[in-house]
mmCIF file of all heavy atoms in Angstrom:
data_model
loop_
_atom_site.group_PDB
_atom_site.id
_atom_site.type_symbol
_atom_site.label_atom_id
_atom_site.label_comp_id
_atom_site.label_asym_id
_atom_site.label_seq_id
_atom_site.Cartn_x
_atom_site.Cartn_y
_atom_site.Cartn_z
ATOM 1 N N TYR A 4 41.832 -70.311 12.652
ATOM 2 C CA TYR A 4 41.075 -71.519 13.040
ATOM 3 C C TYR A 4 40.250 -71.175 14.283
ATOM 4 O O TYR A 4 40.769 -70.531 15.207
ATOM 5 C CB TYR A 4 42.038 -72.652 13.342
ATOM 6 C CG TYR A 4 42.781 -73.122 12.099
ATOM 7 C CD1 TYR A 4 43.869 -72.390 11.634
ATOM 8 C CD2 TYR A 4 42.342 -74.221 11.406
ATOM 9 C CE1 TYR A 4 44.534 -72.769 10.450
ATOM 10 C CE2 TYR A 4 42.980 -74.622 10.230
ATOM 11 C CZ TYR A 4 44.108 -73.878 9.784
ATOM 12 O OH TYR A 4 44.710 -74.278 8.640
ATOM 13 N N VAL A 14 42.945 -68.836 16.302
ATOM 14 C CA VAL A 14 44.419 -68.906 16.195
ATOM 15 C C VAL A 14 44.846 -69.170 14.728
ATOM 16 O O VAL A 14 44.009 -69.580 13.925
ATOM 17 C CB VAL A 14 45.006 -70.049 17.071
ATOM 18 C CG1 VAL A 14 44.688 -69.793 18.558
ATOM 19 C CG2 VAL A 14 44.510 -71.403 16.629
ATOM 20 N N ASN A 15 46.118 -68.904 14.448
ATOM 21 C CA ASN A 15 46.583 -69.246 13.110
ATOM 22 C C ASN A 15 47.119 -70.696 13.072
ATOM 23 O O ASN A 15 47.083 -71.383 14.085
ATOM 24 C CB ASN A 15 47.648 -68.242 12.632
ATOM 25 C CG ASN A 15 48.902 -68.239 13.507
ATOM 26 O OD1 ASN A 15 49.153 -69.216 14.218
ATOM 27 N ND2 ASN A 15 49.710 -67.204 13.408
ATOM 28 N N PHE A 16 47.632 -71.088 11.901
ATOM 29 C CA PHE A 16 48.027 -72.493 11.720
ATOM 30 C C PHE A 16 49.152 -72.871 12.690
ATOM 31 O O PHE A 16 49.168 -73.984 13.249
ATOM 32 C CB PHE A 16 48.495 -72.707 10.305
ATOM 33 C CG PHE A 16 48.978 -74.097 9.987
ATOM 34 C CD1 PHE A 16 48.077 -75.136 9.815
ATOM 35 C CD2 PHE A 16 50.355 -74.364 9.893
ATOM 36 C CE1 PHE A 16 48.533 -76.412 9.570
ATOM 37 C CE2 PHE A 16 50.807 -75.642 9.637
ATOM 38 C CZ PHE A 16 49.903 -76.686 9.478
ATOM 39 N N ARG A 17 50.114 -71.920 12.938
ATOM 40 C CA ARG A 17 51.190 -72.221 13.849
ATOM 41 C C ARG A 17 50.677 -72.559 15.226
ATOM 42 O O ARG A 17 51.048 -73.573 15.812
ATOM 43 C CB ARG A 17 52.131 -71.006 13.883
ATOM 44 C CG ARG A 17 53.270 -71.132 14.844
ATOM 45 C CD ARG A 17 54.125 -69.857 14.874
ATOM 46 N NE ARG A 17 55.379 -70.085 15.530
ATOM 47 C CZ ARG A 17 55.558 -69.996 16.846
ATOM 48 N NH1 ARG A 17 54.538 -69.660 17.618
ATOM 49 N NH2 ARG A 17 56.736 -70.227 17.380
ATOM 50 N N GLU A 18 49.838 -71.691 15.749
ATOM 51 C CA GLU A 18 49.339 -71.932 17.112
ATOM 52 C C GLU A 18 48.441 -73.151 17.169
ATOM 53 O O GLU A 18 48.495 -73.895 18.176
ATOM 54 C CB GLU A 18 48.538 -70.684 17.610
ATOM 55 C CG GLU A 18 49.476 -69.554 17.946
ATOM 56 C CD GLU A 18 48.665 -68.274 18.113
ATOM 57 O OE1 GLU A 18 48.073 -68.110 19.203
ATOM 58 O OE2 GLU A 18 48.599 -67.457 17.203
ATOM 59 N N ALA A 19 47.645 -73.366 16.150
ATOM 60 C CA ALA A 19 46.799 -74.539 16.177
ATOM 61 C C ALA A 19 47.641 -75.825 16.172
ATOM 62 O O ALA A 19 47.277 -76.795 16.848
ATOM 63 C CB ALA A 19 45.867 -74.555 14.948
ATOM 64 N N THR A 20 48.752 -75.816 15.433
ATOM 65 C CA THR A 20 49.644 -77.003 15.407
ATOM 66 C C THR A 20 50.316 -77.194 16.757
ATOM 67 O O THR A 20 50.369 -78.311 17.256
ATOM 68 C CB THR A 20 50.691 -76.833 14.299
ATOM 69 O OG1 THR A 20 50.029 -76.681 13.046
ATOM 70 C CG2 THR A 20 51.670 -78.006 14.280
ATOM 71 N N LEU A 21 50.832 -76.121 17.303
ATOM 72 C CA LEU A 21 51.543 -76.243 18.580
ATOM 73 C C LEU A 21 50.618 -76.603 19.716
ATOM 74 O O LEU A 21 50.975 -77.351 20.627
ATOM 75 C CB LEU A 21 52.264 -74.921 18.923
ATOM 76 C CG LEU A 21 53.513 -74.629 18.054
ATOM 77 C CD1 LEU A 21 54.016 -73.190 18.304
ATOM 78 C CD2 LEU A 21 54.647 -75.629 18.330
ATOM 79 N N LYS A 22 49.395 -76.093 19.701
ATOM 80 C CA LYS A 22 48.460 -76.341 20.774
ATOM 81 C C LYS A 22 47.742 -77.676 20.630
ATOM 82 O O LYS A 22 47.397 -78.306 21.645
ATOM 83 C CB LYS A 22 47.444 -75.196 20.791
ATOM 84 C CG LYS A 22 47.211 -74.627 22.194
ATOM 85 C CD LYS A 22 46.419 -73.370 22.187
ATOM 86 C CE LYS A 22 45.530 -73.259 23.411
ATOM 87 N NZ LYS A 22 46.148 -73.617 24.686
ATOM 88 N N PHE A 63 45.792 -73.021 3.905
ATOM 89 C CA PHE A 63 45.580 -73.414 5.316
ATOM 90 C C PHE A 63 46.737 -72.986 6.204
ATOM 91 O O PHE A 63 46.585 -72.802 7.396
ATOM 92 C CB PHE A 63 45.402 -74.951 5.441
ATOM 93 C CG PHE A 63 44.126 -75.454 4.819
ATOM 94 C CD1 PHE A 63 44.091 -75.990 3.550
ATOM 95 C CD2 PHE A 63 42.940 -75.378 5.513
ATOM 96 C CE1 PHE A 63 42.922 -76.439 2.974
ATOM 97 C CE2 PHE A 63 41.736 -75.852 4.974
ATOM 98 C CZ PHE A 63 41.746 -76.355 3.695
ATOM 99 N N VAL A 64 47.920 -72.911 5.624
ATOM 100 C CA VAL A 64 49.110 -72.615 6.345
ATOM 101 C C VAL A 64 49.334 -71.097 6.437
ATOM 102 O O VAL A 64 49.888 -70.551 7.375
ATOM 103 C CB VAL A 64 50.340 -73.289 5.725
ATOM 104 C CG1 VAL A 64 51.638 -72.837 6.364
ATOM 105 C CG2 VAL A 64 50.184 -74.813 5.832
ATOM 106 N N THR A 67 52.439 -68.643 7.948
ATOM 107 C CA THR A 67 53.153 -69.126 9.140
ATOM 108 C C THR A 67 54.378 -69.955 8.754
ATOM 109 O O THR A 67 55.244 -70.185 9.576
ATOM 110 C CB THR A 67 52.211 -69.980 10.028
ATOM 111 O OG1 THR A 67 51.746 -71.108 9.277
ATOM 112 C CG2 THR A 67 51.031 -69.187 10.519
ATOM 113 N N TYR A 121 59.817 -76.974 12.464
ATOM 114 C CA TYR A 121 59.941 -75.607 12.021
ATOM 115 C C TYR A 121 59.453 -74.613 13.059
ATOM 116 O O TYR A 121 60.119 -73.609 13.360
ATOM 117 C CB TYR A 121 59.144 -75.448 10.693
ATOM 118 C CG TYR A 121 59.220 -74.033 10.106
ATOM 119 C CD1 TYR A 121 60.346 -73.624 9.429
ATOM 120 C CD2 TYR A 121 58.148 -73.168 10.282
ATOM 121 C CE1 TYR A 121 60.415 -72.346 8.922
ATOM 122 C CE2 TYR A 121 58.219 -71.879 9.738
ATOM 123 C CZ TYR A 121 59.355 -71.466 9.063
ATOM 124 O OH TYR A 121 59.427 -70.229 8.564
ATOM 125 N N PHE A 122 58.302 -74.872 13.680
ATOM 126 C CA PHE A 122 57.727 -73.941 14.623
ATOM 127 C C PHE A 122 58.461 -73.941 15.945
ATOM 128 O O PHE A 122 58.366 -72.958 16.686
ATOM 129 C CB PHE A 122 56.250 -74.290 14.867
ATOM 130 C CG PHE A 122 55.346 -74.037 13.686
ATOM 131 C CD1 PHE A 122 54.283 -74.891 13.414
ATOM 132 C CD2 PHE A 122 55.546 -72.955 12.846
ATOM 133 C CE1 PHE A 122 53.441 -74.682 12.346
ATOM 134 C CE2 PHE A 122 54.715 -72.730 11.779
ATOM 135 C CZ PHE A 122 53.643 -73.570 11.511
ATOM 136 N N SER A 123 59.183 -74.978 16.261
ATOM 137 C CA SER A 123 59.860 -74.975 17.586
ATOM 138 C C SER A 123 61.327 -74.683 17.443
ATOM 139 O O SER A 123 62.083 -74.842 18.394
ATOM 140 C CB SER A 123 59.577 -76.291 18.325
ATOM 141 O OG SER A 123 59.976 -77.385 17.545
ATOM 142 N N ARG A 124 61.756 -74.268 16.232
ATOM 143 C CA ARG A 124 63.206 -74.104 16.024
ATOM 144 C C ARG A 124 63.833 -73.019 16.892
ATOM 145 O O ARG A 124 64.995 -73.062 17.176
ATOM 146 C CB ARG A 124 63.489 -73.805 14.524
ATOM 147 C CG ARG A 124 63.003 -72.440 14.054
ATOM 148 C CD ARG A 124 62.978 -72.364 12.543
ATOM 149 N NE ARG A 124 62.636 -71.057 12.056
ATOM 150 C CZ ARG A 124 61.426 -70.485 12.086
ATOM 151 N NH1 ARG A 124 60.438 -71.162 12.663
ATOM 152 N NH2 ARG A 124 61.225 -69.287 11.600
ATOM 153 N N GLU A 125 62.995 -72.072 17.324
ATOM 154 C CA GLU A 125 63.562 -70.962 18.148
ATOM 155 C C GLU A 125 63.260 -71.147 19.616
ATOM 156 O O GLU A 125 63.631 -70.291 20.430
ATOM 157 C CB GLU A 125 63.012 -69.619 17.649
ATOM 158 C CG GLU A 125 63.762 -69.130 16.451
ATOM 159 C CD GLU A 125 62.871 -68.289 15.528
ATOM 160 O OE1 GLU A 125 61.726 -67.968 15.916
ATOM 161 O OE2 GLU A 125 63.311 -67.998 14.404
ATOM 162 N N LYS A 126 62.620 -72.238 19.971
ATOM 163 C CA LYS A 126 62.304 -72.464 21.383
ATOM 164 C C LYS A 126 63.582 -72.885 22.154
ATOM 165 O O LYS A 126 64.401 -73.633 21.616
ATOM 166 C CB LYS A 126 61.273 -73.595 21.518
ATOM 167 C CG LYS A 126 59.844 -73.180 21.303
ATOM 168 C CD LYS A 126 58.941 -74.311 21.815
ATOM 169 C CE LYS A 126 57.484 -74.069 21.648
ATOM 170 N NZ LYS A 126 56.964 -72.760 21.603
#
Side-chain angles (χ1 to χ4, degrees):
Y4 295 79
V14 298
N15 64 17
F16 179 77
R17 177 182 193 272
E18 287 168 79
T20 299
L21 288 171
K22 226 169 146 46
F63 292 97
V64 173
T67 61
Y121 180 77
F122 291 143
S123 56
R124 69 196 185 286
E125 280 149 8
K126 277 195 184 333

